């Protein structure tokens, strides 16, 4: 199994290109199931999760062609996928495929909307909590589907198609909003989603669906209105930049010190995280090319942060912030409100010497002047990258084991960091 070896202590200086957002690319690829015409997606990141979803869609009979580079493409530009679901040959999403990636469960929405029936295995994914799908099921039932759970599968039917309805989510859910949006796009009549997730990835998917002929207003606000149409057509759409990758590298620079341009990043996608970085002592300068992050001389100041749905501080940056605060000058309080079990990085950060105490949803991090490199291992994607950040700043050698989680969500991580001066390498085998 591959590992990453880091010798910490180097400042980061240079440019890091930001890839397309994983959490937009995945639902956008799934949305291709809604039409028998070709959906072309540009700037799709080359990630293990994207490859896995390609296999899952392939199992339904979807043809996916990855186009090569075109003249004028930027060096790091993501791939272009031509996705054609002209013939859906199988409406079953099997356990072997869905259990590897939670988002693949979302195929339930387009399959039901277009094919009026499907059988989808209950999902797997990162070990960050129980992560039920009750709200997704609730949304589909509101739209008139009959669902039954049997042998670990959700068996869904809507013999006469889906019908628009009012869907009021009792809590903000990204997955629930994606599923409701995709299903309602092809339902008969009007759907109103209230307490909808406002994440930028929801807006990106809604924008793409609109290009495909869907009638959607209000995406990006808690109230989304969809007037269902009978058919969607092909379209071309560019995946928005990854705000979590952006925030991750911004925190890495804040921790090691240095001066890095995050090329292609969009500050409005992660303003709350940038505000926290400024509070912590980093200099954040949005410019035409992206965002410039600097920290020179001064130490890291402690912060008090609670994760929240967008536009709040993202749960997907909580682990990285904790790594940063491990060497702040004082005590930080970090509260996780989205997932009940998203503190698995705490015991691994402790191997670097970090002083973190957990009480319920809140971690208190007592910053120490210098972390020390250590062998570590993580159980989810964002936790893994928090260990990389800590390793970059720690004295001596860090070995990050079980890095397949990193490959699920970070494109060419070690290449991007070593280009900015980090001493980091992948060790195969
Ligand atoms: C998405 O997960 C992201 N995944 C997650 O990123 C991210 O952490 C999360 O949104 C929150 O921003 C993708 O986009 C592929 P939710 P999702 O539905 O959609 C509860 C990463 O590292 N809930 O907004 O699964 C749930 O348990 C990943 O890239 C129910 O109770 O998150 C959680 O507590 C990790 N019932 C809360 O809602 C349901 O039916 C928010 O979940 C659905 C969710």
């Amino acid at each position: 199994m591959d590992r990453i070896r880091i010798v910490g202590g180097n400042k980061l200086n240079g440019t890091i290109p930001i890839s397309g957002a994983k959490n937009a690319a995945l639902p956008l690829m799934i949305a291709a199931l809604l039409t028998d015409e070709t959906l072309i997606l540009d700037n799709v990141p080359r990630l293990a999760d994207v490859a896995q979803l390609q296999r899952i869609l392939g199992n339904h009979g979807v043809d996916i062609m990855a186009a090569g580079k075109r003249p004028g493409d930027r060096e790091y530009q993501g791939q272009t996928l031509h996705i054609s679901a002209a013939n859906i040959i199988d409406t079953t999403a099997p356990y072997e495929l869905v259990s590897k990636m939670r988002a693949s469960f979302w195929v339930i929405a387009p399959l039901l909307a277009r094919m009026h029936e499907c059988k989808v295995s209950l999902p797997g994914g990162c070990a960050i909590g129980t992560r039920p799908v009750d709200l997704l099921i609730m949304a589909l039932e509101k739209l008139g589907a009959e669902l039954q759970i049997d042998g670990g599968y959700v068996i869904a039917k809507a013999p006469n198609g889906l019908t628009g309805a009012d869907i009021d989510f009792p809590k903000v859910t990204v997955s629930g909003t994606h599923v409701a949006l995709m299903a309602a796009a092809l339902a008969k009549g009007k759907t109103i989603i209230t307490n909808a997730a406002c994440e930028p990835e929801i807006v990106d998917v809604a924008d793409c669906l609109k290009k495909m002929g869907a009638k959607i207003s209000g995406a990006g606000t808690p109230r989304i209105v969809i007037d269902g149409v009978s058919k969607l057509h092909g379209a071309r759409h560019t995946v928005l930049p990854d705000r979590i990758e952006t925030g991750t590298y911004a925190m890495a620079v804040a921790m090691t010190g240095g001066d890095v341009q995050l090329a292609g990043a969009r500050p409005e996608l992660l303003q709350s995280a940038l505000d926290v970085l400024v509070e912590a002592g980093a200099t954040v300068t949005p410019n035409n090319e992206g965002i410039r992050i600097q920290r020179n001389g001064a130490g890291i100041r402690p912060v008090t942060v609670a994760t929240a749905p967008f536009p709040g501080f993202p749960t997907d940056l909580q682990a990285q912030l904790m790594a940063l605060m491990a060497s702040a000058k004082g005590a930080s309080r970090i509260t996780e409100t989205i997932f009940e079990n998203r503190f698995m990085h705490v015991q691994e950060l402790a191997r670097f010497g970090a002083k973190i105490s957990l009480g319920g949803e809140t971690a208190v991090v007592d910053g120490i002047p210098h972390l020390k490199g250590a062998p570590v291992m993580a159980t989810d994607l964002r936790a893994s990258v928090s260990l990389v950040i800590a390793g970059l700043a720690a004295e001596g050698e860090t070995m990050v084991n079980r890095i397949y989680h990193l490959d699920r969500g970070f494109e060419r991580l070690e290449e991007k960091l070593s280009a900015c001066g980090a001493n980091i390498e992948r060790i195969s085998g």
Side-chain angles (χ1 to χ4, degrees):
M1 216 177 276
D2 288 6
R3 295 173 294 165
I4 283 183
R5 177 176 173 272
I6 303 168
V7 180
N10 294 0
K11 288 186 173 15
L12 295 171
N13 286 291
T15 298
I16 296 181
I18 297 303
S19 298
K22 168 180 84 81
N23 288 349
L26 300 177
L28 284 166
M29 290 169 69
I30 289 172
L33 286 167
L34 286 165
T35 175
D36 59 5
E37 296 182 21
T38 302
L39 177 66
I40 304 175
L41 296 176
D42 292 307
N43 199 31
V44 178
R46 291 178 179 80
L47 297 171
D49 271 8
V50 167
Q52 175 67 10
L53 184 56
Q54 284 181 239
R55 282 190 282 277
I56 291 168
L57 293 177
N59 187 62
H60 295 298
V62 177
D63 280 328
I64 303 181
M65 201 259 294
K69 288 220 173 296
R70 291 180 301 184
D73 279 357
R74 280 181 291 124
E75 186 194 348
Y76 278 111
Q77 204 150 322
Q79 57 189 335
T80 294
L81 298 183
H82 295 245
I83 310 176
S84 167
N87 298 305
I88 294 177
I89 52 167
D90 191 343
T91 55
T92 298
Y95 171 80
E96 298 73 46
L97 295 173
V98 181
S99 58
K100 296 208 177 99
M101 184 181 43
R102 184 178 160 85
S104 55
F105 181 77
W106 306 348
V107 299
I108 193 170
L111 288 176
L112 196 50
R114 188 170 144 205
M115 307 303 287
H116 301 174
E117 59 164 35
C118 60
K119 184 175 167 190
V120 181
S121 167
L122 287 164
C126 280
I128 55 175
T130 49
R131 304 187 78 186
V133 290
D134 55 321
L135 300 177
L136 286 64
I137 288 176
M138 177 278 280
L140 294 170
E141 282 178 341
K142 287 265 181 199
L143 294 171
E146 291 160 25
L147 290 105
Q148 189 189 325
I149 298 180
D150 189 19
Y153 279 80
V154 179
I155 299 161
K157 288 195 180 78
N160 301 314
L162 298 172
T163 310
D166 289 352
I167 300 171
D168 183 27
F169 284 112
K171 76 197 281 192
V172 176
T173 156
V174 173
S175 53
T177 306
H178 276 311
V179 158
L181 196 58
M182 285 192 248
L186 283 183
K188 286 185 211 92
K190 191 189 284 292
T191 296
I192 301 178
I193 307 174
T194 44
N195 202 23
C198 300
E199 268 65 8
E201 293 75 21
I202 298 282
V203 179
D204 207 37
V205 170
D207 284 346
C208 178
L209 292 174
K210 285 195 263 185
K211 289 179 194 167
M212 294 165 73
K215 296 205 164 66
I216 300 168
S217 61
T221 76
R223 185 174 187 273
I224 306 180
V225 181
I226 303 124
D227 281 301
V229 295
S230 57
K231 207 170 171 358
L232 293 174
H233 51 74
R236 181 162 201 150
H237 184 78
T238 301
V239 179
L240 91 171
D242 197 316
R243 63 195 167 100
I244 305 304
E245 189 195 25
T246 307
T248 299
Y249 290 126
M251 289 190 198
V253 178
M255 189 153 190
T256 61
D259 183 348
V260 169
Q261 174 72 24
L262 301 172
R266 279 174 35 197
E268 73 278 14
L269 303 182
L270 73 159
Q271 197 53 56
S272 60
L274 296 178
D275 292 346
V276 169
L277 281 168
V278 170
E279 200 187 328
T283 304
V284 176
T285 318
N287 53 38
N288 287 342
E289 308 294 314
I291 307 172
R292 183 175 174 191
I293 308 283
Q294 296 157 279
R295 188 174 69 80
N296 300 313
I300 299 156
R301 288 191 290 266
V303 295
T304 295
V305 169
T307 62
F310 191 83
F313 187 92
T315 173
D316 289 347
L317 286 174
Q318 181 256 108
Q320 298 88 317
L321 178 67
M322 200 175 294
L324 173 60
M325 288 305 137
S327 55
K329 286 182 176 162
S332 300
R333 293 173 64 83
I334 301 178
T335 303
E336 172 58 53
T337 71
I338 309 287
F339 292 108
E340 75 274 21
N341 188 23
R342 208 174 194 182
F343 279 132
M344 265 102 59
H345 41 284
V346 168
Q347 63 181 31
E348 294 302 300
L349 287 171
R351 295 184 196 276
F352 293 94
K355 291 212 167 69
I356 305 171
S357 56
L358 270 182
E361 297 182 328
T362 301
V364 177
V365 188
D366 278 308
I368 58 168
H370 300 289
L371 299 181
K372 287 216 168 57
V376 288
M377 176 164 79
T379 44
D380 81 77
L381 168 58
R382 312 303 175 184
S384 303
V385 87
S386 77
L387 304 177
V388 172
I389 294 179
L392 292 172
E395 286 167 357
E397 183 181 295
T398 291
M399 190 69 81
V400 185
N401 295 293
R402 271 174 72 177
I403 58 164
Y404 61 86
H405 286 293
L406 284 173
D407 294 330
R408 291 185 43 212
F410 289 91
E411 195 176 32
R412 289 187 296 268
L413 174 96
E414 63 278 17
E415 236 180 84
K416 291 185 184 189
L417 285 168
S418 57
C420 289
N423 186 340
I424 179 169
E425 62 173 340
R426 178 180 294 247
I427 301 172
S428 302

